[in-house]
Amino acid sequence: MPSSKSSGKLWDTLPALSDLLRQNNLYADKKLGQHFLLDRNITDKIASLAAPLNGVHVAEIGPDSGGLTRSLLDADAAEVLAIEMDERFANLNTDMAPVTGGRLRVLQADALAVNIAKELPAPRKIVANLPYNVGTKMLVNWITADPLFWDQMVLMFQKEVAERVCAAPGESAYGRLAILCQSVASAHIAFEIPARAFTPPPKVDSAVVVLRPLEQPFPKLKMLGELTQAAFGQRRKMLRASLKSFAKRHDLDLIAWLESCGIDPQARPETLQVSEFQTLVETVK
């Protein structure tokens, strides 16, 4: 078992991240969506959102230069599993492992293929600056896991994706992703991070989202996903038009079904509450 003892403040004892990158001739790979976050103030703030971490096993995705990894370990995480696809940064973080009191484990792998529940004991949290190109796919995998294996997630996305996760009905960002996420977890944007905070700076700003499982997550996520995909695939259309194919597949009288759930067939999908989409799913046999 990893030691629960802190090995000291890593940020104060290890070389500056910019120096490590320069000394090892490391650069961001655009194909992997890499943008380095070297600011300790920001990584410490992200780690603090996941507090308390004492006794908690943390999965971090794409640690790259290791700034957030340092902050998580300095916040007394029992263990950090750093999942890194890029061999260069897997090696860089492995070099840091010996000074972490056995609390850092580096796994070189594609995080989409990693079963975090098998790799880490409970309690588990996921804290990560997610790669822009696969962040949404990872999130959907984690929120649709049955059963949910995580106690909290603190995730950085490009700002547009963060807004889609946390959006409320009537907002332009409201859609399938918000409904799925908010059916299993509470979600809010904790703070935004300007593009200039990264090296190299991306073209868009980022935001950090905090998700905590609901006491009773909605169980029928697969059908909810099917329903919301149909509804928002044609979001400008009224429900009586956009849900025709869904109703046909499930042998439903579309208008009668909507009205029996108290929903106006002429409503557009962005006006419905999360609970109303859930009600529609619950009435499908």
Side-chain angles (χ1 to χ4, degrees):
M1 288 293 293
S3 168
S4 61
K5 280 183 137 186
S6 172
S7 58
K9 295 298 180 184
L10 296 174
W11 272 103
D12 297 330
T13 58
L14 294 172
L17 295 179
S18 56
D19 291 341
L20 280 177
L21 293 174
R22 184 174 59 255
Q23 291 166 7
N24 291 277
N25 193 30
L26 294 171
Y27 54 88
D29 188 335
K30 290 184 179 180
K31 293 180 181 178
L32 297 178
Q34 291 174 340
H35 299 278
F36 306 142
L37 186 58
L38 309 181
D39 189 328
R40 176 182 180 176
N41 292 325
I42 297 177
T43 59
D44 280 353
K45 187 174 182 179
I46 295 171
S48 72
L49 291 170
L53 287 177
N54 198 305
V56 175
H57 301 266
V58 179
E60 182 192 1
I61 314 304
D64 54 64
S65 57
L68 181 55
T69 314
R70 294 183 184 189
S71 292
L72 291 168
L73 291 165
D74 281 351
D76 291 330
E79 177 185 12
V80 173
L81 173 66
I83 305 171
E84 176 58 69
M85 178 184 288
D86 190 331
E87 181 181 8
R88 302 171 303 156
F89 292 102
N91 291 337
L92 184 71
N93 284 282
T94 298
D95 290 343
M96 179 172 64
V99 298
T100 65
R103 295 182 299 131
L104 173 62
R105 180 158 56 102
V106 180
L107 177 61
Q108 185 185 348
D110 180 350
L112 286 168
V114 175
N115 187 329
I116 294 174
K118 287 187 176 180
E119 291 289 342
L120 285 176
R124 308 177 195 91
K125 296 184 180 183
I126 304 175
V127 186
N129 171 14
L130 293 178
Y132 281 179
N133 52 354
V134 291
T136 302
K137 188 174 183 179
M138 288 181 181
L139 173 63
V140 171
N141 286 351
W142 297 330
I143 64 171
T144 56
D146 185 19
L148 292 180
F149 62 89
W150 43 274
D151 296 284
Q152 184 184 17
M153 296 196 291
V154 179
L155 306 174
M156 187 194 306
F157 300 97
Q158 53 190 353
K159 183 180 175 182
E160 177 187 359
V161 174
E163 290 172 341
R164 286 171 52 208
V165 170
C166 302
E171 296 179 352
S172 60
Y174 183 67
R176 181 172 182 265
L177 186 60
I179 294 163
L180 289 176
C181 288
Q182 294 171 37
S183 290
V184 300
S186 64
H188 72 275
I189 294 177
F191 66 100
E192 298 177 8
I193 305 174
R196 64 178 180 276
F198 297 86
T199 303
K203 295 180 180 179
V204 295
D205 293 340
S206 298
V208 178
V209 174
V210 178
L211 299 104
R212 293 185 177 87
L214 301 175
E215 287 188 14
Q216 293 184 323
F218 186 71
K220 300 177 72 173
L221 282 185
K222 184 176 181 180
M223 186 174 289
L224 184 63
E226 181 188 350
L227 173 66
T228 52
Q229 185 172 22
F232 288 94
Q234 303 178 76
R235 66 183 300 145
R236 293 184 180 179
K237 291 188 176 182
M238 298 176 185
L239 293 172
R240 67 183 186 186
S242 62
L243 293 182
K244 277 185 179 179
S245 60
F246 179 90
K248 185 176 181 180
R249 280 196 302 274
H250 294 278
D251 195 26
L252 297 165
D253 181 324
L254 176 57
I255 303 302
W257 170 54
L258 290 170
E259 290 180 341
S260 71
C261 295
I263 294 170
D264 183 354
Q266 297 188 74
R268 287 183 168 78
E270 67 270 16
T271 66
L272 268 62
Q273 300 291 325
V274 173
S275 60
E276 291 179 297
F277 280 104
Q278 293 173 353
T279 297
L280 287 169
V281 167
E282 287 170 340
T283 58
V284 178
K285 295 180 181 179

